[in-house]
Amino acid sequence: MSPSQSPEALRAGAILTIDLDALVSNWRLFQDMAEQSGAISGAVVKAAAYGLDVSRIAPALLNAGCQTFFVATISEAIQLRAIIGPAPSIHVFCGFLDGTGPDFVTHNLVPVLNSLDQVTAWRDFDKTMPCDLHIDTGMARLGLEISDVQQLVGDLNIDIVLSHLVSAEDSDAPINARQLTAFKSVLAQIKARRISLANSSGSFLGTDYHFDVLRPGVALYGANPTPNKPNPMTQVIRLQGRILQVRTLTNAQSVGYGSTYQASVGAKIATIAVGYADGFLRSLSNAGFVYFGEHKANIVGCVSMDLITVDVTNIPQALILPGQMADLIGPNNPIDDVADKAGTIGYELLTQLGTRYHRVYTGQTGKT
Ligand SMILES: *Cc1c(COP(=O)(O)O)cnc(C)c1O
């Protein structure tokens, strides 16, 4: 039975299709870039692999050859270990928290130590186990200050020393080079096996930023790591919403809650079964658009909890029959465009993707 005919698909107001081949080809692009400078590419799969379900995403990356995974929390790391087996390394950005030592031992996790306090606690717990070290070169968020580094004692078993870029998506931002210089200035003082600086966007700043390990996240999932330039990544997700009803207005009247849109008489309005409870952001009210094939239609009125309304006055009749699907995120309206219309970034759009969507995984390693 093809996925589009499964009972779940027939019941669904919206279908989220996730192309694991596209995911893998995106990871390979990073791996190929990395190999050119003698590095490797890891993969960041925090926040349920940016909303796409780590239990589907991680095995596909593993099959492609990825052996270095990054997550945000210890719980995510424990979940990931059960999915990918014992061999790949799992690095936990939040670092070492009180009382979690046994988790790191049992599940063979690597904490990304973020402060001198975490370093001390880890040393007291077990200084022989591998750890990573995060150096803050400008984010003022997580990581040891540059001036903290001299207080480190050289007895830790450090796998990766890393830092994180503030504005990597803006290749002209002067802070990129300042962070690179600051990072390099401390590397000589730290005995680590591997060095890592670049996230998705940072990997496109040139080989100076590559060191040993790339840490791409969002671009693996199809977002553009080089805004204002063509997207080098392949789109991974497609979100289709089902038309529940189409009406032609017999009066000029407003559409939706709060009368935020005034429609003319004769306007044709399609109601589609997706809303902010699905992570289809309310800020797309009177701002976003959807596609019926190659035809663009504006979202009119407020996005409500379970529904949106779309002006389909100029869409060919054959494309707007109840039961048919509109592309909410698709070939003509990729994640970044939709996020932009919503006043946010692709990261937020991805990680808010709803639990009510019927999810279909396609590609070599995917089967639903
Ligand atoms: C989330 C995260 C990444 C991945 O960033 P993307 O911009 O999604 O590629 C890399 N490193 C750290 C420390 C992170 O927190």
PDB file of all heavy atoms in Angstrom, residues 105-137:
ATOM      1  N   VAL A 105      28.699   7.065  32.237  1.00  0.00           N
ATOM      2  CA  VAL A 105      29.385   5.770  32.251  1.00  0.00           C
ATOM      3  C   VAL A 105      28.532   4.707  31.561  1.00  0.00           C
ATOM      4  O   VAL A 105      28.970   4.036  30.620  1.00  0.00           O
ATOM      5  CB  VAL A 105      29.684   5.332  33.703  1.00  0.00           C
ATOM      6  CG1 VAL A 105      30.321   3.946  33.707  1.00  0.00           C
ATOM      7  CG2 VAL A 105      30.584   6.355  34.389  1.00  0.00           C
ATOM      8  N   THR A 106      27.290   4.585  32.021  1.00  0.00           N
ATOM      9  CA  THR A 106      26.415   3.511  31.535  1.00  0.00           C
ATOM     10  C   THR A 106      26.206   3.592  30.033  1.00  0.00           C
ATOM     11  O   THR A 106      26.183   2.570  29.343  1.00  0.00           O
ATOM     12  CB  THR A 106      25.037   3.595  32.236  1.00  0.00           C
ATOM     13  OG1 THR A 106      25.262   3.586  33.630  1.00  0.00           O
ATOM     14  CG2 THR A 106      24.138   2.435  31.846  1.00  0.00           C
ATOM     15  N   HIS A 107      26.026   4.814  29.533  1.00  0.00           N
ATOM     16  CA  HIS A 107      25.668   4.979  28.116  1.00  0.00           C
ATOM     17  C   HIS A 107      26.842   5.440  27.263  1.00  0.00           C
ATOM     18  O   HIS A 107      26.665   5.728  26.088  1.00  0.00           O
ATOM     19  CB  HIS A 107      24.486   5.937  27.994  1.00  0.00           C
ATOM     20  CG  HIS A 107      23.299   5.505  28.812  1.00  0.00           C
ATOM     21  ND1 HIS A 107      22.455   4.491  28.412  1.00  0.00           N
ATOM     22  CD2 HIS A 107      22.859   5.904  30.033  1.00  0.00           C
ATOM     23  CE1 HIS A 107      21.522   4.305  29.334  1.00  0.00           C
ATOM     24  NE2 HIS A 107      21.748   5.147  30.335  1.00  0.00           N
ATOM     25  N   ASN A 108      27.998   5.519  27.894  1.00  0.00           N
ATOM     26  CA  ASN A 108      29.213   5.897  27.158  1.00  0.00           C
ATOM     27  C   ASN A 108      29.032   7.221  26.418  1.00  0.00           C
ATOM     28  O   ASN A 108      29.120   7.293  25.192  1.00  0.00           O
ATOM     29  CB  ASN A 108      29.611   4.769  26.191  1.00  0.00           C
ATOM     30  CG  ASN A 108      30.951   5.035  25.542  1.00  0.00           C
ATOM     31  OD1 ASN A 108      31.763   5.790  26.067  1.00  0.00           O
ATOM     32  ND2 ASN A 108      31.171   4.435  24.383  1.00  0.00           N
ATOM     33  N   LEU A 109      28.759   8.268  27.182  1.00  0.00           N
ATOM     34  CA  LEU A 109      28.511   9.603  26.629  1.00  0.00           C
ATOM     35  C   LEU A 109      29.701  10.501  26.931  1.00  0.00           C
ATOM     36  O   LEU A 109      30.424  10.282  27.910  1.00  0.00           O
ATOM     37  CB  LEU A 109      27.242  10.211  27.247  1.00  0.00           C
ATOM     38  CG  LEU A 109      26.010   9.301  27.272  1.00  0.00           C
ATOM     39  CD1 LEU A 109      24.856   9.997  27.994  1.00  0.00           C
ATOM     40  CD2 LEU A 109      25.607   8.892  25.855  1.00  0.00           C
ATOM     41  N   VAL A 110      29.855  11.514  26.116  1.00  0.00           N
ATOM     42  CA  VAL A 110      30.944  12.468  26.314  1.00  0.00           C
ATOM     43  C   VAL A 110      30.344  13.831  26.674  1.00  0.00           C
ATOM     44  O   VAL A 110      29.607  14.410  25.864  1.00  0.00           O
ATOM     45  CB  VAL A 110      31.807  12.597  25.040  1.00  0.00           C
ATOM     46  CG1 VAL A 110      32.985  13.533  25.288  1.00  0.00           C
ATOM     47  CG2 VAL A 110      32.271  11.235  24.554  1.00  0.00           C
ATOM     48  N   PRO A 111      30.628  14.348  27.860  1.00  0.00           N
ATOM     49  CA  PRO A 111      30.086  15.661  28.222  1.00  0.00           C
ATOM     50  C   PRO A 111      30.906  16.769  27.561  1.00  0.00           C
ATOM     51  O   PRO A 111      32.130  16.664  27.482  1.00  0.00           O
ATOM     52  CB  PRO A 111      30.271  15.710  29.746  1.00  0.00           C
ATOM     53  CG  PRO A 111      31.507  14.891  29.976  1.00  0.00           C
ATOM     54  CD  PRO A 111      31.494  13.803  28.924  1.00  0.00           C
ATOM     55  N   VAL A 112      30.230  17.795  27.088  1.00  0.00           N
ATOM     56  CA  VAL A 112      30.937  18.986  26.614  1.00  0.00           C
ATOM     57  C   VAL A 112      31.036  19.928  27.818  1.00  0.00           C
ATOM     58  O   VAL A 112      30.079  20.629  28.151  1.00  0.00           O
ATOM     59  CB  VAL A 112      30.191  19.663  25.446  1.00  0.00           C
ATOM     60  CG1 VAL A 112      30.971  20.880  24.956  1.00  0.00           C
ATOM     61  CG2 VAL A 112      29.961  18.685  24.300  1.00  0.00           C
ATOM     62  N   LEU A 113      32.172  19.904  28.485  1.00  0.00           N
ATOM     63  CA  LEU A 113      32.312  20.681  29.724  1.00  0.00           C
ATOM     64  C   LEU A 113      32.321  22.167  29.390  1.00  0.00           C
ATOM     65  O   LEU A 113      33.035  22.620  28.489  1.00  0.00           O
ATOM     66  CB  LEU A 113      33.584  20.267  30.463  1.00  0.00           C
ATOM     67  CG  LEU A 113      33.673  18.773  30.796  1.00  0.00           C
ATOM     68  CD1 LEU A 113      35.006  18.451  31.483  1.00  0.00           C
ATOM     69  CD2 LEU A 113      32.491  18.322  31.660  1.00  0.00           C
ATOM     70  N   ASN A 114      31.510  22.917  30.128  1.00  0.00           N
ATOM     71  CA  ASN A 114      31.216  24.302  29.771  1.00  0.00           C
ATOM     72  C   ASN A 114      31.789  25.346  30.705  1.00  0.00           C
ATOM     73  O   ASN A 114      31.691  26.535  30.418  1.00  0.00           O
ATOM     74  CB  ASN A 114      29.693  24.493  29.755  1.00  0.00           C
ATOM     75  CG  ASN A 114      29.073  23.843  28.543  1.00  0.00           C
ATOM     76  OD1 ASN A 114      29.493  24.114  27.442  1.00  0.00           O
ATOM     77  ND2 ASN A 114      28.097  22.987  28.755  1.00  0.00           N
ATOM     78  N   SER A 115      32.282  24.938  31.841  1.00  0.00           N
ATOM     79  CA  SER A 115      32.745  25.920  32.824  1.00  0.00           C
ATOM     80  C   SER A 115      33.827  25.267  33.681  1.00  0.00           C
ATOM     81  O   SER A 115      33.950  24.030  33.708  1.00  0.00           O
ATOM     82  CB  SER A 115      31.584  26.345  33.734  1.00  0.00           C
ATOM     83  OG  SER A 115      31.146  25.218  34.485  1.00  0.00           O
ATOM     84  N   LEU A 116      34.586  26.089  34.387  1.00  0.00           N
ATOM     85  CA  LEU A 116      35.596  25.516  35.282  1.00  0.00           C
ATOM     86  C   LEU A 116      34.949  24.646  36.345  1.00  0.00           C
ATOM     87  O   LEU A 116      35.508  23.627  36.753  1.00  0.00           O
ATOM     88  CB  LEU A 116      36.414  26.637  35.933  1.00  0.00           C
ATOM     89  CG  LEU A 116      37.482  27.292  35.045  1.00  0.00           C
ATOM     90  CD1 LEU A 116      38.149  28.439  35.792  1.00  0.00           C
ATOM     91  CD2 LEU A 116      38.525  26.275  34.575  1.00  0.00           C
ATOM     92  N   ASP A 117      33.748  25.029  36.790  1.00  0.00           N
ATOM     93  CA  ASP A 117      33.042  24.202  37.779  1.00  0.00           C
ATOM     94  C   ASP A 117      32.746  22.809  37.223  1.00  0.00           C
ATOM     95  O   ASP A 117      32.928  21.799  37.914  1.00  0.00           O
ATOM     96  CB  ASP A 117      31.718  24.858  38.196  1.00  0.00           C
ATOM     97  CG  ASP A 117      31.940  26.013  39.160  1.00  0.00           C
ATOM     98  OD1 ASP A 117      33.085  26.155  39.659  1.00  0.00           O
ATOM     99  OD2 ASP A 117      30.986  26.780  39.378  1.00  0.00           O
ATOM    100  N   GLN A 118      32.270  22.775  35.965  1.00  0.00           N
ATOM    101  CA  GLN A 118      32.003  21.460  35.359  1.00  0.00           C
ATOM    102  C   GLN A 118      33.304  20.669  35.191  1.00  0.00           C
ATOM    103  O   GLN A 118      33.319  19.453  35.383  1.00  0.00           O
ATOM    104  CB  GLN A 118      31.320  21.614  33.992  1.00  0.00           C
ATOM    105  CG  GLN A 118      29.837  21.961  34.086  1.00  0.00           C
ATOM    106  CD  GLN A 118      29.078  21.672  32.789  1.00  0.00           C
ATOM    107  OE1 GLN A 118      29.658  21.261  31.781  1.00  0.00           O
ATOM    108  NE2 GLN A 118      27.772  21.881  32.823  1.00  0.00           N
ATOM    109  N   VAL A 119      34.363  21.364  34.856  1.00  0.00           N
ATOM    110  CA  VAL A 119      35.659  20.684  34.696  1.00  0.00           C
ATOM    111  C   VAL A 119      36.072  20.049  36.029  1.00  0.00           C
ATOM    112  O   VAL A 119      36.471  18.877  36.087  1.00  0.00           O
ATOM    113  CB  VAL A 119      36.740  21.678  34.205  1.00  0.00           C
ATOM    114  CG1 VAL A 119      38.135  21.070  34.350  1.00  0.00           C
ATOM    115  CG2 VAL A 119      36.469  22.084  32.761  1.00  0.00           C
ATOM    116  N   THR A 120      35.949  20.831  37.093  1.00  0.00           N
ATOM    117  CA  THR A 120      36.331  20.325  38.420  1.00  0.00           C
ATOM    118  C   THR A 120      35.466  19.132  38.821  1.00  0.00           C
ATOM    119  O   THR A 120      35.969  18.107  39.288  1.00  0.00           O
ATOM    120  CB  THR A 120      36.178  21.451  39.468  1.00  0.00           C
ATOM    121  OG1 THR A 120      36.955  22.555  39.033  1.00  0.00           O
ATOM    122  CG2 THR A 120      36.629  20.999  40.836  1.00  0.00           C
ATOM    123  N   ALA A 121      34.169  19.265  38.585  1.00  0.00           N
ATOM    124  CA  ALA A 121      33.253  18.181  38.966  1.00  0.00           C
ATOM    125  C   ALA A 121      33.562  16.916  38.166  1.00  0.00           C
ATOM    126  O   ALA A 121      33.531  15.802  38.704  1.00  0.00           O
ATOM    127  CB  ALA A 121      31.807  18.625  38.737  1.00  0.00           C
ATOM    128  N   TRP A 122      33.864  17.093  36.885  1.00  0.00           N
ATOM    129  CA  TRP A 122      34.180  15.930  36.034  1.00  0.00           C
ATOM    130  C   TRP A 122      35.488  15.281  36.483  1.00  0.00           C
ATOM    131  O   TRP A 122      35.602  14.061  36.556  1.00  0.00           O
ATOM    132  CB  TRP A 122      34.258  16.346  34.568  1.00  0.00           C
ATOM    133  CG  TRP A 122      34.493  15.198  33.630  1.00  0.00           C
ATOM    134  CD1 TRP A 122      35.644  14.896  32.980  1.00  0.00           C
ATOM    135  CD2 TRP A 122      33.550  14.184  33.252  1.00  0.00           C
ATOM    136  NE1 TRP A 122      35.490  13.760  32.219  1.00  0.00           N
ATOM    137  CE2 TRP A 122      34.205  13.303  32.371  1.00  0.00           C
ATOM    138  CE3 TRP A 122      32.207  13.938  33.586  1.00  0.00           C
ATOM    139  CZ2 TRP A 122      33.577  12.197  31.807  1.00  0.00           C
ATOM    140  CZ3 TRP A 122      31.575  12.839  33.024  1.00  0.00           C
ATOM    141  CH2 TRP A 122      32.251  11.979  32.150  1.00  0.00           C
ATOM    142  N   ARG A 123      36.470  16.132  36.803  1.00  0.00           N
ATOM    143  CA  ARG A 123      37.768  15.598  37.245  1.00  0.00           C
ATOM    144  C   ARG A 123      37.582  14.787  38.531  1.00  0.00           C
ATOM    145  O   ARG A 123      38.148  13.698  38.688  1.00  0.00           O
ATOM    146  CB  ARG A 123      38.738  16.753  37.479  1.00  0.00           C
ATOM    147  CG  ARG A 123      40.138  16.287  37.868  1.00  0.00           C
ATOM    148  CD  ARG A 123      41.076  17.470  38.120  1.00  0.00           C
ATOM    149  NE  ARG A 123      41.589  18.047  36.893  1.00  0.00           N
ATOM    150  CZ  ARG A 123      41.380  19.293  36.496  1.00  0.00           C
ATOM    151  NH1 ARG A 123      40.646  20.111  37.223  1.00  0.00           N
ATOM    152  NH2 ARG A 123      41.905  19.718  35.383  1.00  0.00           N
ATOM    153  N   ASP A 124      36.754  15.315  39.409  1.00  0.00           N
ATOM    154  CA  ASP A 124      36.491  14.604  40.668  1.00  0.00           C
ATOM    155  C   ASP A 124      35.731  13.307  40.413  1.00  0.00           C
ATOM    156  O   ASP A 124      35.912  12.319  41.119  1.00  0.00           O
ATOM    157  CB  ASP A 124      35.671  15.477  41.631  1.00  0.00           C
ATOM    158  CG  ASP A 124      36.492  16.652  42.144  1.00  0.00           C
ATOM    159  OD1 ASP A 124      37.727  16.637  41.937  1.00  0.00           O
ATOM    160  OD2 ASP A 124      35.892  17.573  42.715  1.00  0.00           O
ATOM    161  N   PHE A 125      34.869  13.346  39.396  1.00  0.00           N
ATOM    162  CA  PHE A 125      34.069  12.152  39.127  1.00  0.00           C
ATOM    163  C   PHE A 125      34.933  11.062  38.484  1.00  0.00           C
ATOM    164  O   PHE A 125      35.022   9.940  38.987  1.00  0.00           O
ATOM    165  CB  PHE A 125      32.885  12.499  38.213  1.00  0.00           C
ATOM    166  CG  PHE A 125      32.115  11.286  37.769  1.00  0.00           C
ATOM    167  CD1 PHE A 125      31.414  10.514  38.688  1.00  0.00           C
ATOM    168  CD2 PHE A 125      32.130  10.876  36.438  1.00  0.00           C
ATOM    169  CE1 PHE A 125      30.729   9.376  38.294  1.00  0.00           C
ATOM    170  CE2 PHE A 125      31.455   9.741  36.037  1.00  0.00           C
ATOM    171  CZ  PHE A 125      30.751   8.986  36.968  1.00  0.00           C
ATOM    172  N   ASP A 126      35.531  11.378  37.346  1.00  0.00           N
ATOM    173  CA  ASP A 126      36.377  10.394  36.673  1.00  0.00           C
ATOM    174  C   ASP A 126      37.177  11.078  35.573  1.00  0.00           C
ATOM    175  O   ASP A 126      36.706  11.228  34.448  1.00  0.00           O
ATOM    176  CB  ASP A 126      35.522   9.271  36.070  1.00  0.00           C
ATOM    177  CG  ASP A 126      36.389   8.158  35.488  1.00  0.00           C
ATOM    178  OD1 ASP A 126      37.608   8.380  35.307  1.00  0.00           O
ATOM    179  OD2 ASP A 126      35.851   7.073  35.216  1.00  0.00           O
ATOM    180  N   LYS A 127      38.397  11.480  35.902  1.00  0.00           N
ATOM    181  CA  LYS A 127      39.149  12.266  34.926  1.00  0.00           C
ATOM    182  C   LYS A 127      39.741  11.409  33.804  1.00  0.00           C
ATOM    183  O   LYS A 127      40.309  11.941  32.860  1.00  0.00           O
ATOM    184  CB  LYS A 127      40.257  13.061  35.618  1.00  0.00           C
ATOM    185  CG  LYS A 127      41.347  12.201  36.241  1.00  0.00           C
ATOM    186  CD  LYS A 127      42.333  13.078  36.985  1.00  0.00           C
ATOM    187  CE  LYS A 127      43.372  12.193  37.656  1.00  0.00           C
ATOM    188  NZ  LYS A 127      44.148  12.918  38.660  1.00  0.00           N
ATOM    189  N   THR A 128      39.570  10.092  33.901  1.00  0.00           N
ATOM    190  CA  THR A 128      40.127   9.243  32.841  1.00  0.00           C
ATOM    191  C   THR A 128      39.159   9.089  31.665  1.00  0.00           C
ATOM    192  O   THR A 128      39.566   8.763  30.555  1.00  0.00           O
ATOM    193  CB  THR A 128      40.466   7.832  33.362  1.00  0.00           C
ATOM    194  OG1 THR A 128      39.248   7.171  33.725  1.00  0.00           O
ATOM    195  CG2 THR A 128      41.399   7.901  34.561  1.00  0.00           C
ATOM    196  N   MET A 129      37.893   9.319  31.910  1.00  0.00           N
ATOM    197  CA  MET A 129      36.916   9.172  30.816  1.00  0.00           C
ATOM    198  C   MET A 129      36.999  10.360  29.870  1.00  0.00           C
ATOM    199  O   MET A 129      37.245  11.481  30.286  1.00  0.00           O
ATOM    200  CB  MET A 129      35.491   9.085  31.386  1.00  0.00           C
ATOM    201  CG  MET A 129      35.127   7.686  31.856  1.00  0.00           C
ATOM    202  SD  MET A 129      33.472   7.635  32.554  1.00  0.00           S
ATOM    203  CE  MET A 129      32.474   8.369  31.271  1.00  0.00           C
ATOM    204  N   PRO A 130      36.737  10.123  28.561  1.00  0.00           N
ATOM    205  CA  PRO A 130      36.821  11.235  27.605  1.00  0.00           C
ATOM    206  C   PRO A 130      35.780  12.318  27.897  1.00  0.00           C
ATOM    207  O   PRO A 130      34.643  12.012  28.287  1.00  0.00           O
ATOM    208  CB  PRO A 130      36.516  10.588  26.244  1.00  0.00           C
ATOM    209  CG  PRO A 130      36.555   9.131  26.461  1.00  0.00           C
ATOM    210  CD  PRO A 130      36.399   8.851  27.913  1.00  0.00           C
ATOM    211  N   CYS A 131      36.195  13.552  27.705  1.00  0.00           N
ATOM    212  CA  CYS A 131      35.289  14.692  27.798  1.00  0.00           C
ATOM    213  C   CYS A 131      35.640  15.655  26.669  1.00  0.00           C
ATOM    214  O   CYS A 131      36.692  15.537  26.046  1.00  0.00           O
ATOM    215  CB  CYS A 131      35.425  15.389  29.143  1.00  0.00           C
ATOM    216  SG  CYS A 131      37.072  16.056  29.437  1.00  0.00           S
ATOM    217  N   ASP A 132      34.738  16.585  26.381  1.00  0.00           N
ATOM    218  CA  ASP A 132      35.025  17.680  25.460  1.00  0.00           C
ATOM    219  C   ASP A 132      35.102  18.963  26.276  1.00  0.00           C
ATOM    220  O   ASP A 132      34.638  19.010  27.424  1.00  0.00           O
ATOM    221  CB  ASP A 132      33.903  17.838  24.422  1.00  0.00           C
ATOM    222  CG  ASP A 132      33.746  16.621  23.520  1.00  0.00           C
ATOM    223  OD1 ASP A 132      34.719  15.864  23.365  1.00  0.00           O
ATOM    224  OD2 ASP A 132      32.642  16.454  22.970  1.00  0.00           O
ATOM    225  N   LEU A 133      35.646  19.986  25.654  1.00  0.00           N
ATOM    226  CA  LEU A 133      35.784  21.269  26.331  1.00  0.00           C
ATOM    227  C   LEU A 133      35.244  22.353  25.410  1.00  0.00           C
ATOM    228  O   LEU A 133      35.656  22.440  24.249  1.00  0.00           O
ATOM    229  CB  LEU A 133      37.269  21.500  26.613  1.00  0.00           C
ATOM    230  CG  LEU A 133      37.663  22.428  27.730  1.00  0.00           C
ATOM    231  CD1 LEU A 133      37.090  21.951  29.063  1.00  0.00           C
ATOM    232  CD2 LEU A 133      39.190  22.508  27.801  1.00  0.00           C
ATOM    233  N   HIS A 134      34.317  23.152  25.915  1.00  0.00           N
ATOM    234  CA  HIS A 134      33.735  24.246  25.130  1.00  0.00           C
ATOM    235  C   HIS A 134      34.390  25.557  25.555  1.00  0.00           C
ATOM    236  O   HIS A 134      34.349  25.910  26.735  1.00  0.00           O
ATOM    237  CB  HIS A 134      32.226  24.289  25.373  1.00  0.00           C
ATOM    238  CG  HIS A 134      31.472  25.223  24.476  1.00  0.00           C
ATOM    239  ND1 HIS A 134      30.132  25.099  24.238  1.00  0.00           N
ATOM    240  CD2 HIS A 134      31.870  26.307  23.762  1.00  0.00           C
ATOM    241  CE1 HIS A 134      29.730  26.053  23.402  1.00  0.00           C
ATOM    242  NE2 HIS A 134      30.775  26.808  23.111  1.00  0.00           N
ATOM    243  N   ILE A 135      34.981  26.247  24.586  1.00  0.00           N
ATOM    244  CA  ILE A 135      35.592  27.549  24.853  1.00  0.00           C
ATOM    245  C   ILE A 135      34.670  28.632  24.304  1.00  0.00           C
ATOM    246  O   ILE A 135      34.259  28.567  23.136  1.00  0.00           O
ATOM    247  CB  ILE A 135      36.973  27.673  24.143  1.00  0.00           C
ATOM    248  CG1 ILE A 135      37.866  26.465  24.444  1.00  0.00           C
ATOM    249  CG2 ILE A 135      37.644  28.986  24.506  1.00  0.00           C
ATOM    250  CD1 ILE A 135      38.229  26.308  25.896  1.00  0.00           C
ATOM    251  N   ASP A 136      34.333  29.607  25.129  1.00  0.00           N
ATOM    252  CA  ASP A 136      33.491  30.712  24.674  1.00  0.00           C
ATOM    253  C   ASP A 136      34.359  31.764  24.013  1.00  0.00           C
ATOM    254  O   ASP A 136      35.163  32.419  24.669  1.00  0.00           O
ATOM    255  CB  ASP A 136      32.736  31.309  25.864  1.00  0.00           C
ATOM    256  CG  ASP A 136      31.809  32.435  25.433  1.00  0.00           C
ATOM    257  OD1 ASP A 136      31.708  32.684  24.212  1.00  0.00           O
ATOM    258  OD2 ASP A 136      31.191  33.063  26.305  1.00  0.00           O
ATOM    259  N   THR A 137      34.166  31.932  22.706  1.00  0.00           N
ATOM    260  CA  THR A 137      34.973  32.929  21.986  1.00  0.00           C
ATOM    261  C   THR A 137      34.139  34.144  21.580  1.00  0.00           C
ATOM    262  O   THR A 137      34.555  34.920  20.729  1.00  0.00           O
ATOM    263  CB  THR A 137      35.608  32.299  20.734  1.00  0.00           C
ATOM    264  OG1 THR A 137      34.566  31.714  19.936  1.00  0.00           O
ATOM    265  CG2 THR A 137      36.630  31.243  21.115  1.00  0.00           C
TER     266      THR A 137
END
